[in-house]
Amino acid sequence: MKEVKSPKKPLIFYYIIVLVIMVLLNGILFPSILRQQIEEVDYGTFLSMLDQKEVSVVEVEQDYIYFMDDNQKDPTYYRTATFDSDISLVDRLYASGCKFGEVKEKEMSPILSGLISFVIPLVFFIVVGQLLSRSLMKKMGGGMGNAMSFGKSNAKVYVASETGIKFNDVAGEEEAKEQLQEIVDFLHNPSRYQAIGARMPKGALLVGPPGTGKTLLAKAVAGEAEVPFFSISGSEFVEMFVGMGAAKVRDLFKQANEKAPCIVFIDEIDTIGKKRDGNGLGGNDEREQTLNQLLTEMDGFDGSKGVVILAATNRPETLDPALLRPGRFDRRIPVELPDLAGREAILKVHAKKVKLGDDIDFNAIARAAAGASGAELANMVNEAALRAVRNGRAYVTQADLEESIEVVIAGYQKKNAVLSDKEKLIVSYHEIGHALVAALQSHSAPVTKITIIPRTSGALGYTMQVDTQEQHLLSREELENKIATYAGGRAAEQMIFGSITTGASNDIEQMTKLARAMITRYGMSDEFGMMALETVNNQYLGGDASLACAAQTAAVVDEKVNQLLKQQYQKALDLLKANTAKLHELAKYLYEKETITGEEFMKILETRAIETTESGAE
Ligand code: ADP
Ligand code: MG
Ligand code: ZN
């Protein structure tokens, strides 16, 4: 796929060329100004030259006498101030036999000279500049933005069937690919669909969280469809002047109709497709006009001609309902975060571009990267390759990939962060607190890594847990265990040092979120049962929720959340108290090694467990 490039050099560049040409031309066309040099002489010299018959032509003016000596090869021009008391001047001139004529070139009339020195260059300047930019535009295929193209759509036209992105480059997302494949198929042989009376949807809306490959899928459609593909981002319709956005929409659809069959792709459509609100005051007129124009155009064209409109957004809930009704974007294609198999496939697609060692286990990486989007996975592979180069290796190892997951989750290692010994000890106990509580509960994901090396994200250490299988459902017990695991860090600090630190701030945020969701959204409290107290606002962007209950109820919810958190904190504290010896040993081990694996952790935990049971049996 070849994207037609917009001009790299700004217009001013061409104007400067024209300016240089103008200056040169000026020197050649009007050089007389430079040529005629006039020498100033005194009256005596003039008289003696006159006597020696060296003056051939003379011109007398009010203040000066101009004269010329053309006896030499090159005529020389002179000037001398007139000498009022020389009444015999005329006689002398006559006697010397010189001619009376024009020596000095006459000055041009001010209008004419103004015309030559100012107006003509200016006109020339503008005309050449325009011609240059016009011809450039033509070369570029037209339609790029500059000051003269108000109302042009700016859509990038992808020339189909050039080597580009294909469906194979998009891993996972099989359902989305299947639906898009159908659209591509329709554009290839519409007769098959028309024969049976099937009508293609006019528009398809790709919805999903950021980085899941919506834009990539649209580009793959362009690569597969072998029809013209117009791509434009919603924000490109937003203009300073009212009516310009609408004009751009009109232009886009005009172009599309001419090129049918073709595909029009509007990325981030939420920028222009937001719900229109009734209040006229301060409303965004420009945006509404643009949206209205889009709605009109979508109704206006004939779907059977083969213009398919794709759009992508990660905020479908903000779209105007009119956009989503049948006949407009009547097909909604979810592009969700990849599952385990999807993550593995995406890793493999991107790993094709880098050299790999032979110890790579994509499945393990995919499991550790639960919740990562396609873009994050692509980024992880690249981070791993960068790390390999940094370490002077020619290929990527499993360790590179593991480290890059941590980079994406927690940021880079902060090599020069200096923790005091005391702080390091507190962090060790804090992290082991998390790990121990997780390991001592039955429904928790196994611990795979514990580290107290600070990260650029601000984390002073962390405990990584990786589920053996992908979980789609979480039970109440599992959620409670998760909360207890979060509480484990603070509980260990409290228990060992008798005081608490700021290190638990992120844990507190996470556990509160979980506890809140359990009560308000998952119906896991005895008081409210299955009553929805919160609704999620934007499911794909962080999923912040807004309360939908009375203020009194909200107060009760807060109390319940608090109760649940306290209860789980107590559980964590109890678990740690019952295993104080292990806590000490593991924390000391972590303090010395700074990073330990899940296996090391489990080995120490289990050997001690056997010893204690043995000693308990004695
Ligand atoms: P968005 O959904 O936000 O439009 P993009 O399509 O821009 O996401 O994805 C960004 C990048 O992430 C892509 O260029 C690609 O490298 C990578 N990516 C995302 N999803 C996938 C996927 N399913 N398969 C392969 N690569 C993907
Ligand atoms: Mg995108
Ligand atoms: Zn913590």
Side-chain angles (χ1 to χ4, degrees), residues 169-208:
D169 297 308
V170 190
E173 312 299 348
E174 295 306 325
E175 300 75 19
K177 275 200 274 184
E178 212 167 89
Q179 297 206 33
L180 291 168
Q181 183 68 56
E182 195 180 44
I183 291 174
V184 170
D185 192 48
F186 168 77
L187 291 172
H188 281 174
N189 35 42
S191 52
R192 233 182 70 197
Y193 290 81
Q194 278 154 8
I196 204 170
R199 189 180 55 83
M200 252 300 114
K202 269 189 192 172
L205 186 65
L206 298 161
V207 296

Side-chain angles (χ1 to χ4, degrees), residues 278-306:
N279 61 28
L281 266 180
N284 194 336
D285 240 8
E286 162 63 358
R287 222 194 54 224
E288 283 192 10
Q289 280 196 21
T290 311
L291 176 57
N292 283 335
Q293 188 63 39
L294 181 63
L295 296 175
T296 317
E297 293 289 348
M298 287 195 75
D299 283 341
F301 74 84
D302 181 5
S304 64
K305 249 179 107 180

Side-chain angles (χ1 to χ4, degrees), residues 169-171 173 209-216 346 349-350 374-375 378:
D169 297 308
V170 190
E173 312 299 348
T212 45
K214 297 182 295 296
T215 308
L216 189 71
I346 294 172
V349 163
H350 288 279

Side-chain angles (χ1 to χ4, degrees), residues 47 54 63 70 80 125 139 141 150 198 211 220 232 236 357 407 432 436 535 547 549 600:
L47 290 182
E54 282 173 2
D63 299 322
D70 62 358
T80 185
F125 193 68
K139 244 184 264 165
F150 282 137
I232 190 166
E236 285 172 65
V407 167
I432 294 295
L436 212 49
T535 44
L547 223 49
C549 60
E600 284 175 287

Side-chain angles (χ1 to χ4, degrees), residues 59-89:
E59 179 184 3
V60 182
E61 287 216 334
Q62 183 83 44
D63 299 322
Y64 288 106
I65 301 168
Y66 295 88
F67 59 100
M68 187 171 98
D69 171 13
D70 62 358
N71 296 328
Q72 280 110 13
K73 229 182 331 145
D74 295 319
T76 341
Y77 300 86
Y78 300 94
R79 175 177 94 162
T80 185
T82 43
F83 196 65
D84 283 340
S85 47
D86 189 357
I87 35 170
S88 57
L89 175 66

